[in-house]
Amino acid sequence: MLWRCIPLALLTISMSGCINITKRGAKKSEEKPVQDSGIRPTLQINENTSQPLKIGAANIDSLLVNSKTISSAVNELQKEYSRLQNDLDRRIAEFQKKVKEYQLNAPSMTTSERLRTESNLQEEQKQLATLQQQYTERIMNMNQRKQELIAKLLSHAIDSITRKYNLVMFTLYGGETPIRYVHKSIDYTDEVIKILDEAHQTKKVQ
């Protein structure tokens, strides 16, 4: 089949696992479970440690929905996808019209006319297939650039929060990650969104 829709590659954040900051001199020990209390849950390095280590988290699903930076990137990608899709649909409709005209007129054509028309249609079909591939690659490249920008901005936001609250570990939850819930006391989603959007608007991160 000549035509297949261009796969729409929407932006997703598939980061799973944690962003860790290792302090020099810290000894490894078993991680204590997060407690459902009114204080910020912490990780204890060992029993003799007087300063507990704090962790933070952000919800991927909320970032995708509520961040203006991410929403803008997705909208731009969808807009370009629609533009290319419409252009290709128009070209295909014109090609199909030519095929139907040929089928109607073929009985009255001479042999040379039929061969020439068939050759032209075959060449146009190849051009459409090439154009489809070019449009697909354009969307995929645009998607990759958007993902790289968002990853850079997200890293900047997480680094800022980590330094501000002296966190030793930061994780993303929800989405495709195995973590479905964290206590609200360690959830920095709103602050990540704020820094993410501010950094993009002020172009602090290029």
Side-chain angles (χ1 to χ4, degrees), residues 31-83:
E31 179 180 316
K32 292 188 177 181
V34 173
Q35 301 296 323
D36 188 4
S37 64
I39 61 174
R40 292 192 179 279
T42 60
L43 292 178
Q44 201 77 25
I45 294 181
N46 55 50
E47 295 180 357
N48 298 323
T49 303
S50 58
Q51 295 293 330
L53 301 180
K54 299 185 292 184
I55 64 174
N59 185 275
I60 291 177
D61 300 313
S62 182
L63 294 178
L64 293 173
V65 173
N66 299 315
S67 170
K68 294 180 180 179
T69 297
I70 297 179
S71 297
S72 175
V74 172
N75 290 337
E76 288 178 15
L77 186 65
Q78 289 177 323
K79 183 177 180 180
E80 179 65 6
Y81 166 80
S82 296
R83 187 184 72 81

Side-chain angles (χ1 to χ4, degrees), residues 7 10 29 35 61 63 89 99 101 129 132 159 164-165 179 188 204:
L10 292 179
S29 65
Q35 301 296 323
D61 300 313
L63 294 178
D89 286 344
V99 171
E101 290 177 352
Q132 174 195 346
D159 287 346
K164 180 178 179 180
Y165 296 101
I179 307 174
Y188 293 89
K204 290 180 180 178

